Amino acid sequence: MEPYFFPALWEQRRICIARTLYEHHIHSVLEVGCGEGNVLSFLVSQSPNDEHPITRLCGIDINNAALDLAYERLQPNDDDKRDLRVDPLSVQLFHGDASVPVPDLSVDAVVCTEVIEHVDEHVGAPALTHAVLGGYNPLLAVFTTPNAEFNVNFPGLAYGTPDARFRDDDHKFEWTREQFRSWAEGAADKYGYTVAIRGIGLSMRNPIAGFDPYGGCTQMAVFTRNAVDSTTHSDVVTGSPPRLYASTEYPVFTQPQLSSIALQKLVRKFALDICNTQHAFQLDDLWDILEIKQQFKRCRALEKWLDTQATYSASQTNELYTVNT
């Protein structure tokens, strides 16, 4: 059996990107080089932190066919139309050169995953870096790219020999960890960011003899803006900016909140249903119920409401609730 990643490397990358966005309380995201919308569609799922939902997703790509697939992938499905989300979500796709910023497009975070290695190292990479960090100047930027040193674990790539190949025929370069760090630290210093670097894909199932992760199959740089950057960067941006290609709005729950009595009945019904099987319930047990979520919008609001209701008794740590009969 050939060596493989578990979970799959693409899944590990998307999980790492999503967690990074959630940890930084990001509300709007732009992906440059979004392709078929795989990462954006992964981010459509609602954030585990309901206080900081992602409400806007944008993507840029130069390939029309890829954008068509992204548009289809990012359409609300039957579940989205039935189980109406609490917070709005808008999706915008732009067609054009990702190294030219979209005028007046402001987002909290920019993601550039497995893209920079597809442009010329000495012209395209600096232009893309400038567009992301100097043009959009987001609070957060995430770049991922292959770690060339890990290629030694793929015998077919003949890493370190005159016959060495890149992982993809379209790659223009693949950076070692030292090269990646040099680029990231230089960009952070130039544009006013702090950068942290980590590896993704540190282990494989059924690895070759002598396997060494060399820092991970993928390397990720997370740029955090130090302060609002009021300086003017001297890089000259040429070319036409991307244009809006398609947009989508996800359906959202807009019905009026239930009356006080109706709300009490709704919560009591679900609480009793839970207690019939486990005698007590946790806050998350109720919060996982869509009808409850739609009424309270935020888990914190539900918790405060429960504390005001004589119907429910909480443990000393507020971890368990019981229904008073």
Side-chain angles (χ1 to χ4, degrees):
M1 180 182 293
E2 293 291 324
Y4 66 98
F5 290 96
F6 184 83
L9 186 61
W10 62 263
E11 185 176 2
Q12 293 187 45
R13 276 197 298 265
R14 293 174 200 175
I15 290 172
C16 286
I17 291 168
R19 285 178 176 170
T20 301
L21 298 173
Y22 298 152
E23 288 168 2
H24 287 82
H25 299 166
I26 295 302
H27 294 268
S28 54
V29 181
L30 166 66
E31 184 185 8
V32 295
C34 67
E36 299 172 3
N38 294 312
V39 174
L40 292 176
S41 61
F42 193 81
L43 296 174
V44 164
S45 299
Q46 299 185 55
S47 167
N49 184 347
D50 63 282
E51 295 288 342
H52 300 281
I54 292 177
T55 58
R56 186 184 186 194
L57 294 172
C58 303
I60 299 173
D61 206 276
I62 201 166
N63 188 305
N64 280 303
L67 285 173
D68 285 340
L69 291 172
Y71 179 71
E72 292 178 13
R73 179 168 281 130
L74 289 163
Q75 290 303 297
N77 58 32
D78 291 341
D79 289 343
D80 294 315
K81 296 173 183 177
R82 182 189 67 241
D83 302 332
L84 299 178
R85 59 177 60 223
V86 170
D87 297 291
L89 177 64
S90 64
V91 178
Q92 294 176 302
L93 297 176
F94 296 85
H95 175 257
D97 184 353
S99 66
V100 182
V102 177
D104 302 319
L105 178 60
S106 177
V107 291
D108 295 337
V110 178
V111 173
C112 182
T113 178
E114 308 301 290
V115 171
I116 197 167
E117 65 274 9
H118 290 270
V119 301
D120 179 82
E121 181 178 9
H122 303 292
V123 178
L128 187 60
T129 304
H130 177 70
V132 173
L133 300 178
Y136 296 111
N137 194 223
L139 296 172
L140 185 81
V142 180
F143 284 80
T144 75
T145 191
N147 171 15
E149 293 168 87
F150 192 96
N151 289 354
V152 71
N153 296 301
F154 301 123
L157 297 181
Y159 182 73
T161 76
D163 298 322
R165 298 188 298 107
F166 293 143
R167 294 184 200 173
D168 187 285
D169 290 340
D170 190 56
H171 288 184
K172 306 302 187 292
F173 63 90
E174 290 179 356
W175 279 331
T176 64
R177 284 173 292 172
E178 181 179 349
Q179 290 171 321
F180 184 62
R181 180 173 293 279
S182 176
W183 163 80
E185 291 179 348
D189 182 63
K190 178 177 181 178
Y191 295 105
Y193 284 80
T194 298
V195 65
I197 296 174
R198 60 163 297 181
I200 303 173
L202 296 171
S203 62
M204 298 185 78
R205 300 282 179 89
N206 194 40
I208 63 170
F211 171 83
D212 190 321
Y214 290 99
C217 189
T218 293
Q219 41 195 348
M220 180 170 80
V222 178
F223 294 85
T224 307
R225 195 174 70 196
N226 294 331
V228 176
D229 186 2
S230 59
T231 61
T232 301
H233 301 290
S234 60
D235 305 57
V236 177
V237 178
T238 60
S240 300
R243 294 185 176 184
L244 182 65
Y245 188 81
S247 61
T248 298
E249 296 287 337
Y250 274 66
V252 65
F253 183 81
T254 58
Q255 296 180 22
Q257 188 177 25
L258 295 174
S259 68
S260 177
I261 294 176
L263 188 60
Q264 290 173 356
K265 289 181 178 179
L266 177 73
V267 176
R268 182 177 175 82
K269 171 187 176 298
F270 285 114
L272 286 172
D273 287 345
I274 296 169
C275 289
N276 282 338
T277 58
Q278 57 191 49
H279 307 298
F281 65 89
Q282 294 180 318
L283 183 64
D284 287 347
D285 293 330
L286 280 180
W287 187 242
D288 286 340
I289 299 169
L290 179 64
E291 291 91 331
I292 299 291
K293 192 173 294 187
Q294 289 172 336
Q295 291 299 316
F296 289 93
K297 311 296 184 185
R298 298 290 179 260
C299 188
R300 182 175 56 179
L302 171 61
E303 183 177 22
K304 288 183 177 180
W305 183 87
L306 286 172
D307 291 341
T308 66
Q309 302 297 306
T311 306
Y312 307 97
S313 296
S315 64
Q316 290 185 346
T317 59
N318 271 10
E319 292 180 355
L320 290 174
Y321 293 83
T322 55
V323 181
N324 301 324
T325 58

